[in-house]
Amino acid sequence: MKSFDSTTGQSTWITPMKLQHSLGHFDLDPCAADEMPYRTADRMVTKKEDGLSVDWGESRVWLNPPYGKEIVPFLERMHNGIALVPCRTDNKWFHELVLPKAYAIFFMRGRVRFISIDGSDSGSPTFASILVAYTKEDAEAITIADISGSFMYHKALATEGGAK
């Protein structure tokens, strides 16, 4: 059963612990669910606390943002860490906020089976997801994780001296 917030009409879809933890340690999760079955980062900021109002600084960020229109301001802030976002290569935000800033994009094979706040299987969305690596180190973390898929490196950023 999916957890459902009757005040917003939104379902809570949490990244499976095995997937998220396989990507290493994160300093900040600005989009943590109000109730989490496990830790995603040292600092977990919920919607009530507003992850957009906190200082991200140079924190390594784990970002599983709200999907829909709310995704844009979170992607505008991203510059260090890994984002899990829908594979929506036709959307404006993908071309304006992901492609110009990504060190690499990892197209996951199959669909993510998200979990609900009680840790039970929440199912899969009707679309694929991608992992966006914002630094060379983040791309390397994805390569050593046990995740099936394919990389697309951003040519301009992946050249020596082009990105962190």
Side-chain angles (χ1 to χ4, degrees):
M1 177 173 181
K2 295 178 191 147
S3 56
F4 187 76
D5 184 338
S6 60
T7 59
T8 64
Q10 298 290 317
S11 293
T12 301
W13 297 65
I14 299 169
T15 309
M17 184 171 65
K18 182 179 177 187
L19 169 64
Q20 198 268 333
H21 283 179
S22 72
L23 299 169
H25 173 267
F26 292 91
D27 303 311
L28 174 68
D29 178 352
C31 298
D34 290 332
E35 297 177 46
M36 289 288 294
Y38 66 93
R39 294 203 61 79
T40 54
D42 290 341
R43 182 168 184 205
M44 297 168 55
V45 182
T46 66
K47 187 173 185 170
K48 291 175 189 173
E49 297 168 293
D50 185 11
L52 293 170
S53 69
V54 300
D55 179 21
W56 293 19
E58 291 305 310
S59 300
R60 182 168 187 245
V61 176
W62 167 251
L63 183 68
N64 178 359
Y67 292 2
K69 293 177 185 176
E70 288 182 284
I71 198 170
V72 170
F74 286 100
L75 289 175
E76 287 174 338
R77 297 274 309 267
M78 246 343 241
H79 69 278
N80 188 29
I82 297 175
L84 171 66
V85 296
C87 185
R88 301 279 195 211
T89 59
D90 58 330
N91 282 0
K92 182 178 178 180
W93 59 258
F94 182 82
H95 289 271
E96 293 181 358
L97 300 173
V98 172
L99 283 179
K101 294 168 43 175
Y103 182 88
I105 299 170
F106 187 75
F107 294 86
M108 292 188 283
R109 184 179 305 267
R111 295 191 178 146
V112 176
R113 294 210 52 93
F114 289 92
I115 60 171
S116 62
I117 58 175
D118 66 3
S120 64
D121 187 335
S122 192
S124 294
T126 58
F127 49 83
S129 300
I130 57 175
L131 292 171
V132 182
Y134 286 85
T135 67
K136 179 181 179 182
E137 293 77 19
D138 295 316
E140 289 170 355
I142 296 170
T143 64
I144 62 173
D146 186 23
I147 307 169
S148 295
S150 299
F151 265 108
M152 180 190 86
Y153 286 92
H154 195 296
K155 185 177 179 181
L157 296 177
T159 58
E160 190 170 330
K164 291 183 186 180

